[in-house]
């Protein structure tokens, strides 16, 4: 059975929420009947479909880069306006059918004027505005907190610490110290923000979760289970490289160069739990995080772009389109040594 992509799953969630909001509306009016229920369903489908187009299909970069406040306000107004027009069109058509009239006859009869100024229309618009505002605000807060983190807090998934096995990946900007000295702190911060922004699409596309940013590197996680494929992590790296390469003109124009980065991937057992009452976060505790960082740093030693630990390759096989080239061993603080491999695309 084909696994749904991250975007497809998000689209299903948004469509489901939209339909639910559409079906709930008739509960607030006096005439809980078949007509309003059908109208609510249609409006919910069209409204959520419009949101899916903007949030997932097109997802324009210039919109995503707006300030949080401006982003929420912009999307709330756009989506509410669309829903207001959609409600008007759907109700006019449905009531014209009920009255056995054409749309023009319905409008000429004055019933449209009655619907707008004396019936439910203003209430529906207010309902759409409130529902859209709640959804957009929650959706954007969830994105800011990280994939799934808000839901994990709400459900208390990690309120009590749990032990689990995870895959970790570090992506680290090369020559960051020299770059920071050359650009200065303000421009360096802009560079990091742009760099992390550009590679995010590749991370989410391959089901990775951004755990944290540490200076010039980002830590990405996957739950170690049967659904995980080693190529998801590998493709995250190559997808990020393609994203930076496609935006090279912008980097060169703004900073005078195109950033390069290396990656390390490892696997191990950690404890996951909530930490803190104020500014709470979901934290991973375990040696594997430090070991993953050491693997990434070994890229300089072996002149590699991406390294994968033997511990990971022992559990997950690589796609036939790639092969693993043994690069050497990485020592973990004198405790043990781990063989590392570089994935190479087959010709």
């Amino acid at each position: 059975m084909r696994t749904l992509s991250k975007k497809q799953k998000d689209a299903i969630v948004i469509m489901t929420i939209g339909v639910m909001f559409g079906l709930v509306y008739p509960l607030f009016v006096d005439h809980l009947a078949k007509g309003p229920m059908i109208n609510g369903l249609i409006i919910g489908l069209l409204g959520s479909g419009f949101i899916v187009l903007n949030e997932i299909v097109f997802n324009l970069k210039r919109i995503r880069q707006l300030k949080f406040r401006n982003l929420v306000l912009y999307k709330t107004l756009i989506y509410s306006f669309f829903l207001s027009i959609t409600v008007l069109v759907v109700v006019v058509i449905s009531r014209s059918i009920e009255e056995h009239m054409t749309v023009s006859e319905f409008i000429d009869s004055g019933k449209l004027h009655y619907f707008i100024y004396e019936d439910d229309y203003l209430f529906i618009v207010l309902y759409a505005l409130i529902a859209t505002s709640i959804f957009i605000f929650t959706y954007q807060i969830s994105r800011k907190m990280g994939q799934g983190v808000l839901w994990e807090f709400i459900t208390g998934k990690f309120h009590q610490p749990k032990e689990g096995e995870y895959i970790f990946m570090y992506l680290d900007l090369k020559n960051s110290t020299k770059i920071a000295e050359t650009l200065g702190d303000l421009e360096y911060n802009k560079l990091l923000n742009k760099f992390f922004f550009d590679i995010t699409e590749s991370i989410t596309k391959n089901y990775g979760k951004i755990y944290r940013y540490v200076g010039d590197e980002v830590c990405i996680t996957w739950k170690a289970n049967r659904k995980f494929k080693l190529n998801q992590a590998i493709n995250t790296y190559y997808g990020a490289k393609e994203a930076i390469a496609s935006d090279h003109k912008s980097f060169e124009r703004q900073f005078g160069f195109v950033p390069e980065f290396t990656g390390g991937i490892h696997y191990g057992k950690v404890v996951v739990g909530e930490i803190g009452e104020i500014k709470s976060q979901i934290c991973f505790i375990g040696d594997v995080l430090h070991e993953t960082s050491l693997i990434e740093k070994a890229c300089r030693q072996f002149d590699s772009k991406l390294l994968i630990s033997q511990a990971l390759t022992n559990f997950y096989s690589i796609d036939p389109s790639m092969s693993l080239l043994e690069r050497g061993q990485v020592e973990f603080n004198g405790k043990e040594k781990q063989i590392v491999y570089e994935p190479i695309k087959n010709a």
Side-chain angles (χ1 to χ4, degrees):
M1 185 177 178
R2 182 174 174 268
T3 304
L4 294 175
S5 68
K6 177 70 169 56
K7 288 186 177 182
Q8 289 172 330
K9 289 181 178 180
D10 288 348
I12 291 173
V13 170
I14 292 174
M15 294 292 288
T16 302
I17 293 173
V19 169
M20 289 174 59
F21 271 118
L23 292 176
V24 164
Y25 157 70
L27 299 177
F28 295 104
V29 297
D30 295 332
H31 49 281
L32 181 57
K34 183 178 179 181
M37 292 291 288
I38 294 175
N39 287 347
L41 176 62
I42 294 172
I43 293 166
L45 284 171
L46 292 174
S48 57
F50 182 73
I51 293 175
V52 166
L53 285 176
N54 285 276
E55 297 291 338
I56 297 176
V57 178
F58 298 122
N59 199 20
L60 298 177
K61 186 175 180 179
R62 65 177 181 273
I63 302 300
R64 289 171 19 232
Q65 290 178 317
L66 292 173
K67 293 180 181 179
F68 180 83
R69 176 193 61 192
N70 297 344
L71 182 65
V72 172
L73 181 61
Y74 169 80
K75 289 187 174 182
T76 298
L77 292 177
I78 291 296
Y79 296 159
S80 297
F81 176 76
F82 176 84
L83 284 169
S84 300
I85 299 300
T86 301
V87 167
L88 197 61
V89 172
V90 170
V91 172
V92 166
I93 292 174
S94 67
R95 293 195 179 182
S96 296
I97 294 173
E98 290 175 2
E99 299 286 342
H100 303 289
M101 298 179 177
T102 64
V103 171
S104 60
E105 289 173 342
F106 181 83
I107 295 173
D108 292 338
S109 69
K111 293 185 177 181
L112 175 61
H113 183 276
Y114 175 81
F115 171 65
I116 294 176
Y117 295 103
E118 299 182 44
D119 202 353
D120 297 332
Y121 182 65
L122 295 180
F123 178 79
I124 296 173
V125 171
L126 179 63
Y127 174 80
L129 180 62
I130 293 173
T132 303
S133 300
I134 292 172
F135 172 78
I136 293 302
F137 184 79
T138 304
Y139 184 74
Q140 295 302 325
I141 285 290
S142 179
R143 286 179 60 86
K144 289 292 183 183
M145 293 180 68
Q147 308 101 299
V149 173
L150 178 60
W151 183 246
E152 289 169 352
F153 276 124
I154 291 172
T155 59
K157 182 177 180 180
F158 297 114
H159 187 68
Q160 294 297 325
K162 297 179 181 179
E163 194 173 61
E165 294 179 331
Y166 284 79
I167 292 91
F168 290 89
M169 179 179 193
Y170 276 95
L171 296 179
D172 187 20
L173 197 66
K174 291 181 66 175
N175 302 318
S176 57
T177 302
K178 183 178 179 180
I179 293 172
E181 292 173 350
T182 302
L183 294 179
D185 292 341
L186 288 175
E187 287 301 307
Y188 181 60
N189 182 271
K190 292 178 182 179
L191 170 69
L192 289 180
N193 190 41
K194 182 174 177 58
F195 172 69
F196 290 140
F197 185 93
D198 280 5
I199 68 174
T200 296
E201 178 71 15
S202 179
I203 296 169
T204 57
K205 180 180 177 181
N206 290 287
Y207 297 93
K209 290 187 175 183
I210 297 173
Y211 169 42
R212 64 184 181 187
Y213 299 102
V214 184
D216 60 346
E217 63 184 10
V218 57
C219 181
I220 306 157
T221 68
W222 291 265
K223 186 75 172 69
N225 53 35
R226 293 181 179 180
K227 293 182 180 180
F228 175 78
K229 306 293 182 185
L230 184 51
N231 273 63
Q232 289 176 351
I234 296 172
N235 289 336
T236 295
Y237 174 82
Y238 285 113
K241 281 194 67 175
E242 291 174 4
I244 298 300
S246 66
D247 202 18
H248 72 279
K249 291 183 179 179
S250 177
F251 277 104
E252 289 173 346
R253 182 174 61 253
Q254 191 169 353
F255 306 107
F257 72 101
V258 179
E260 297 182 2
F261 58 97
T262 54
I265 313 173
H266 191 29
Y267 158 88
K269 189 174 290 186
V270 292
V271 171
V272 193
E274 290 184 23
I275 289 185
E277 178 187 5
I278 304 298
K279 200 185 181 306
S280 300
Q281 58 184 14
I282 307 295
C283 285
F284 293 91
I285 299 175
D287 291 338
V288 62
L289 283 93
H290 178 60
E291 292 169 357
T292 306
S293 181
L294 291 176
I295 290 173
E296 183 278 318
K297 287 177 172 56
C299 286
R300 297 150 185 77
Q301 175 186 346
F302 299 117
D303 192 25
S304 301
K305 301 294 185 182
L306 176 65
L307 291 174
I308 302 173
S309 69
Q310 184 182 31
L312 186 56
T313 60
N314 285 341
F315 286 93
Y316 296 98
S317 59
I318 196 169
D319 188 272
S321 64
M322 292 189 177
S323 57
L324 295 175
L325 177 63
E326 184 177 332
R327 283 300 190 185
Q329 293 183 326
V330 176
E331 186 175 306
F332 294 154
N333 295 335
K335 294 187 299 181
E336 63 173 295
K337 291 183 178 181
Q338 181 86 209
I339 297 174
V340 291
Y341 302 90
E342 181 173 5
I344 305 295
K345 290 186 177 182
N346 297 325

